[in-house]
Structures are given as structure tokens and as C-alpha cells.
């Protein structure tokens, strides 16, 4: 594979020793073998006509369940230190479900790749509901079961993936499973997921785990202008999508005005939610430009944002966009991380970038190389500015089932032909492998 000219002339600076390089996936998006698990809310949602853009389902997806050995070989060929995948709760609930993860973890360990499982990546078993407080306790029981089985080999754990998106898209706007459109009445779903995170930390500690984090999605919220109404709208957006999820985990408190809106004994729950974590996972894709509400429904990034929202989302002009329409803004990552350091100070554990990537078509994916190159450099800028960053995971190893977008959005370093399931490493796979080699 030819070396990218950018890297040849100006190599990416070295990251600190022990820095963890990896790639991420999630169970529902790649595993398939739907007949070997109980249904999740995503299976139910996908079955409703019109929910997924290309009408596809994740019944087969990448068929990773049957082809995991080939996929682990791809990880080994890439030379990553670690692999972030998720454990499907509905699969664990079905007979022999945990055996699959047992085999996968063994295969990873044999290949010298550290397993980093996420314990919930949106595929809630049908019958459970994040609006119910009890789901948090059920999750803790599930986590104990998984930790008892895998804890001898798994040392690094992630509790939840992006409770912000799962709340916003799944419960407030209805664009994702379970398809509810509750707007602000979705807030209990956020609280119960956060409580589930805290309970999972406790369960993992009880099982002897010493390296635990969460993967939260974050991005700077840029006001559309300096007009007070735009600034205020951007602050509100920041509170709702960033601080509502970072503050309880890192500070043990909700941003002002939010705790009152949550159900149950919130101050007791916050003690659980604020259980110390060993690292803080950040999924970063792009900043959002936010303006004052315009009193009308708007379409943005494939979403319909209702008129009642106290903000609108505007285009970030003058930037390349990915196939998804997301702007490419690497320095947003530096801004985000230095902002975290300033805001949380000593309360901020080491950061791991648990997802970063982009959707582009094609196998000679020079656009993806440019995106990743820019973001890894921006991450290095944050390290130079004194932010304690310990790892970086590309989303994703494989093209996969991109939720409501179906198979149209391709995020993989490896191309998947969804007819034949053949895997073909893209140009970015060779590029990332060379970046990792140069780091060593
Ligand atoms: C994140 C999700 C992940 C994937 C990427 C593109 O929000 O965690 O599953 O869909 O976006």
C-alpha cells in the first residue's frame, strides 16, 4: 500500500508510550445471527416499515458471529493494540449466548489484541424500557454475569455507549429504536441509563475490575452568531447533549435546572452515577452550529427537528462534509478536549477517544485517510496542550448496519460486500496500519 504523501513528508508526531490504538464496532451493527439471540428493540424497530432508510435489517449484517475469526485476523493485520466491540444483552439472554463472546475474547487474546467490550450499545432486549428505573438494576445483574464469565481475560470495560444519542434519537425524536417522540419527557431515559452506568461500575468493581469507563458522545456547540439568542440556544444545546452526560459522571451532579426534571431520589442516584471511573471515553465526530429557535420544523442531517425545540441546528459553512453530511472539523476535537481539561480539572480521568471516523464510499478512500489524519493530529495537539489522552479508536473496523441509515453509510476501514459478505481492506486500512507501525 502506498504511503500517504501527508504522512511521508510530515509524519504524525509520536503519542506517549503505552498509548492504546484500536478500532470499534458494535454487536447489533455487525454480528447478524439474529436467530441466535433474543430480539432487541432494534429488531422490533427495524421491522416497522419506513424506519430504516434502505428498508434493510441487521439479521445478517456482516455475519461477524460466524466470521469472527476472519475479522480478528483483520485486526491482527492492522496491528491494533485493542478492539472495542459490544456485548449484545439479548444474545447473552439466549442459550449459549455468552459462549460466543468467550470464543471471541479467546481469539483476540491469542492474536495479541486487547478486548475492550462495551456492555450496552443500544440493543436493549425487547420488554425492557429505559423509562423504567428497574432497567438499571437489571443491567447491573447482566453486567455481573458477563464479568464473572469474561473478567479473567477482559481488563478494560466500557459500561454504556452514547446515552445522549440513545435518549435524543431513540426516546425524544423517534429516529432510532425504540422510536419514541417524547421530547423533554425523554429525560428519565437519560437518568436511568446514567444510573445503569453507575450500577455497572459497582458491579464491575465487585467482580474485581480496575479499568472502567463510559463512552459518551461529545462535540463543541458553536453559536450561529454572537447574537444573545443564538448564544443562549448554543448554551442550552451544550447543556442537553454534553453536560447532562458528563457532569453527573465526572462531578456527581446535574447541570443547574436538570436534576429537578429527573425521576426518583436524584441526589442518592447521583452518588451512584458519580462512582469514580478509570478513564473517560469520548466519541467525537463533529461540532454542531446552533442557533435560536425559528418556530418551525427543520430537516437536518436526516433528522426532523420539531419546532418546539429551543434551538435549531445550522450548517457549518466552508468545510468539507462526509457522505453523511457531517462537517470535517478536526480542530473541534482539540477544542473539546482542552475545554474538558479546563472545566473538569482534577476530576477528569485520562481520556480515551472511543470513536472517531467518517462515512465515505469506495475502497480507495483518500477522504477517510484525510479525515483520520487530521483528527489524529488534532488529538496530538490536545496531548501537547496537556490533556491526558491514553487511546484512540477508529469507528469502524467494518462497513456495517448504520442504524436508521441502513447499509448506505460506510464507516469501515474494511469494505464489506453485503451480498457476498466478502471483506476487502480499503486504502485507509493500509494507511492506519502504517501509522501504527510508525508509532512503534
Ligand atoms: C455513533 C454510534 C456508532 C455509529 C457511529 C457512526 O454515534 O455510537 O454506533 O453509529 O455513530
Amino acid at each position: 500500500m502506498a504511503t500517504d504523501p501527508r504522512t511521508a513528508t510530515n509524519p504524525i508526531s509520536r503519542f506517549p508510550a503505552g498509548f492504546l490504538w484500536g478500532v470499534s464496532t458494535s454487536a447489533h451493527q455487525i454480528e447478524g445471527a439474529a436467530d441466535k439471540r433474543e430480539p432487541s428493540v432494534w429488531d422490533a424497530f427495524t421491522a416497522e416499515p419506513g424506519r430504516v432508510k434502505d428498508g434493510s435489517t441487521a439479521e445478517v449484517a456482516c455475519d461477524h458471529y460466524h466470521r469472527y475469526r476472519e475479522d480478528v485476523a483483520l485486526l491482527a493485520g492492522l496491528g491494533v493494540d485493542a478492539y472495542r466491540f459490544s456485548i449484545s444483552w439479548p444474545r447473552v439472554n439466549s442459550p449459549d449466548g455468552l459462549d460466543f463472546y468467550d470464543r471471541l475474547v479467546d481469539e483476540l487474546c491469542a492474536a495479541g489484541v486487547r478486548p475492550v467490550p462495551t456492555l450496552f450499545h443500544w440493543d436493549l432486549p425487547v420488554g425492557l424500557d429505559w423509562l423504567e428505573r428497574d432497567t438499571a438494576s437489571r443491567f447491573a445483574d447482566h453486567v455481573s454475569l458477563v464479568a464473572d464469565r469474561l473478567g479473567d481475560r477482559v481488563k478494560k470495560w466500557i459500561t454504556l455507549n452514547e446515552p445522549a444519542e440513545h435518549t435524543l434519537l431513540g426516546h425524544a425524536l423517534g429516529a432510532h429504536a425504540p422510536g419514541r417522540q417524547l421530547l423533554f419527557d425523554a429525560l428519565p431515559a437519560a437518568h436511568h441509563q446514567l444510573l445503569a452506568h453507575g450500577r455497572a461500575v459497582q458491579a464491575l468493581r465487585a467482580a474485581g475490575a480496575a479499568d472502567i469507563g463510559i463512552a459518551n458522545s461529545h462535540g463543541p456547540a458553536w453559536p450561529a452568531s454572537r447574537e444573545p439568542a443564538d448564544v443562549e440556544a448554543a448554551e442550552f444545546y451544550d447543556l442537553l447533549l454534553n453536560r447532562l452526560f458528563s457532569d453527573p459522571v465526572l462531578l456527581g451532579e446535574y447541570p443547574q435546572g436538570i436534576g429537578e426534571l429527573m425521576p426518583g431520589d436524584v441526589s442518592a442516584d447521583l452518588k451512584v452515577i458519580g462512582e469514580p471511573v478509570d478513564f473517560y471515553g469520548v466519541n467525537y465526530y463533529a461540532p454542531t452550529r446552533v442557533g435560536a429557535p425559528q418556530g418551525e420544523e427543520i430537516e437536518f442531517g436526516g433528522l426532523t427537528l420539531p419546532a418546539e425545540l429551543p434551538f435549531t441546528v445550522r450548517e457549518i459553512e466552508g468545510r468539507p462534509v462526509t457522505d453523511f453530511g457531517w462537517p470535517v472539523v478536526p480542530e473541534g476535537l482539540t477544542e473539546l478536549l482542552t475545554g474538558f481539561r479546563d472545566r473538569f480539572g482534577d476530576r477528569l480521568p485520562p481520556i480515551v477517544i472511543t470513536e472517531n471516523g467518517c462515512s465515505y464510499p469506495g475502497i480507495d478512500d483518500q477522504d477517510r485517510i484525510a479525515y483520520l489524519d487530521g483528527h489524529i493530529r488534532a488529538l496530538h495537539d490536545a496531548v501537547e496542550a496537556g490533556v491526558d489522552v491514553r487511546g484512540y479508536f477508529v469507528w469502524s473496523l467494518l462497513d456495517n448496519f448504520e442504524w436508521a441509515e441502513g447499509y448506505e453509510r460506510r464507516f469501515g476501514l474494511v469494505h464489506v460486500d453485503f451480498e457476498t459478505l466478502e471483506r476487502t481492506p480499503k486504502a485507509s486500512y493500509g494507511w492506519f496500519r502504517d501509522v501504527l507501525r510508525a508509532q512503534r
Side-chain angles (χ1 to χ4, degrees):
M1 195 71 58
T3 310
D4 181 70
R6 278 173 302 261
T7 354
T9 51
N10 180 17
I12 293 176
S13 308
R14 242 169 218 267
F15 280 73
F19 193 85
L20 208 61
W21 295 98
V23 290
S24 293
T25 62
S26 92
H28 190 76
Q29 293 176 276
I30 65 165
E31 283 179 5
D35 57 331
K36 294 196 176 64
R37 57 167 158 77
E38 289 187 359
S40 79
V41 294
W42 264 99
D43 294 304
F45 183 76
T46 304
E48 293 172 28
R51 292 299 204 175
V52 175
K53 285 198 183 132
D54 57 5
S56 60
T57 76
E59 265 168 56
V60 176
C62 306
D63 196 32
H64 169 76
Y65 182 91
H66 296 109
R67 293 164 199 254
Y68 72 94
R69 285 202 176 86
E70 186 182 347
D71 295 337
V72 172
L74 285 164
L75 292 165
L78 197 52
V80 286
D81 304 302
Y83 172 49
R84 175 181 174 231
F85 58 100
S86 82
I87 291 179
S88 154
W89 189 352
R91 193 175 304 284
V92 170
N93 283 351
S94 64
D96 309 327
L98 255 175
D99 292 353
F100 168 67
Y101 298 105
D102 207 66
R103 291 195 292 275
L104 174 62
V105 164
D106 276 347
E107 189 79 9
L108 288 166
C109 293
V113 178
R114 260 201 254 177
V116 183
T118 302
L119 291 151
F120 176 70
H121 198 127
W122 301 355
D123 48 354
L124 193 71
V126 163
L128 294 182
D129 186 340
W130 285 118
L131 292 176
E132 304 290 335
R133 183 182 175 84
D134 185 47
T135 305
S137 315
R138 303 279 289 268
F139 183 62
D141 293 344
H142 159 72
V143 168
S144 298
L145 191 80
V146 173
D148 283 348
R149 179 76 180 267
L150 304 179
D152 56 337
R153 287 150 292 157
V154 169
K155 298 300 165 201
K156 198 174 189 73
W157 297 91
I158 295 174
T159 55
L160 308 183
N161 180 71
E162 298 190 355
E165 261 64 27
H166 193 54
T167 304
L168 178 77
L169 302 177
H171 297 77
L173 300 179
H176 277 190
R180 292 208 176 97
Q181 287 176 288
L182 299 172
L183 293 181
F184 287 97
D185 291 337
L187 284 172
H191 184 70
H192 295 143
Q193 285 176 83
L194 287 163
L195 183 61
H197 157 76
R199 294 253 170 92
V201 174
Q202 293 175 333
L204 288 167
R205 294 263 183 252
D211 195 2
I212 309 169
I214 185 170
N216 265 335
S217 53
H218 290 296
W222 289 349
S225 79
R226 292 198 185 149
E227 291 297 322
D230 286 339
V231 172
E232 203 182 301
E235 279 169 4
F236 187 73
Y237 180 97
D238 185 44
L239 180 141
L240 208 58
L241 273 307
N242 288 315
R243 292 178 46 207
L244 194 143
F245 297 91
S246 55
D247 292 16
V249 171
L250 296 174
L251 305 175
E253 63 191 35
Y254 276 120
Q256 216 185 345
I258 295 289
E260 295 87 294
L261 305 174
M262 295 304 197
D265 184 348
V266 174
S267 54
D269 289 350
L270 281 167
K271 294 205 173 69
V272 179
I273 298 169
E275 284 281 340
V277 285
D278 305 294
F279 66 94
Y280 188 78
V282 170
N283 294 356
Y284 172 78
Y285 289 91
T288 309
R289 186 161 168 254
V290 186
Q294 288 167 322
E296 59 187 52
E297 191 175 284
I298 62 157
E299 297 290 326
F300 193 86
L303 288 177
T304 305
L305 302 179
E308 301 93 292
L309 287 181
F311 53 79
T312 59
V313 175
R314 310 256 182 87
E315 212 170 295
I316 295 180
E317 285 148 16
R319 294 295 188 145
V321 289
T322 70
D323 190 35
F324 217 138
W326 299 353
V328 179
V329 188
E331 73 275 20
L333 179 58
T334 323
E335 177 188 325
L336 177 76
L337 297 181
T338 52
F340 259 74
R341 178 205 53 198
D342 297 345
R343 181 171 161 67
F344 296 108
D346 292 349
R347 306 290 291 272
L348 185 66
I351 285 182
V352 174
I353 303 303
T354 33
E355 284 181 28
N356 176 236
C358 50
S359 156
Y360 286 113
I363 288 181
D364 185 21
D365 54 344
Q366 298 302 322
D367 289 340
R368 176 170 291 102
I369 293 176
Y371 180 99
L372 297 176
D373 181 273
H375 284 76
I376 294 172
R377 286 171 199 275
L379 184 61
H380 199 274
D381 290 345
V383 172
E384 298 238 288
V387 185
D388 185 1
V389 187
R390 305 276 178 94
Y392 174 86
F393 288 69
V394 173
W395 181 273
S396 181
L397 173 67
L398 303 170
D399 290 340
N400 59 50
F401 178 73
E402 178 48 35
W403 310 111
E405 298 285 322
Y407 295 99
E408 298 291 303
R409 306 286 176 218
R410 291 180 175 271
F411 279 88
L413 297 176
V414 175
H415 178 271
V416 178
D417 178 329
F418 290 106
E419 298 290 316
T420 63
L421 298 169
E422 189 189 346
R423 276 88 163 126
T424 309
K426 302 181 189 176
S428 57
Y429 176 95
W431 172 85
F432 193 48
R433 179 198 57 206
D434 291 348
V435 168
L436 303 191
R437 278 185 191 157
Q439 286 287 323
R440 286 170 190 131

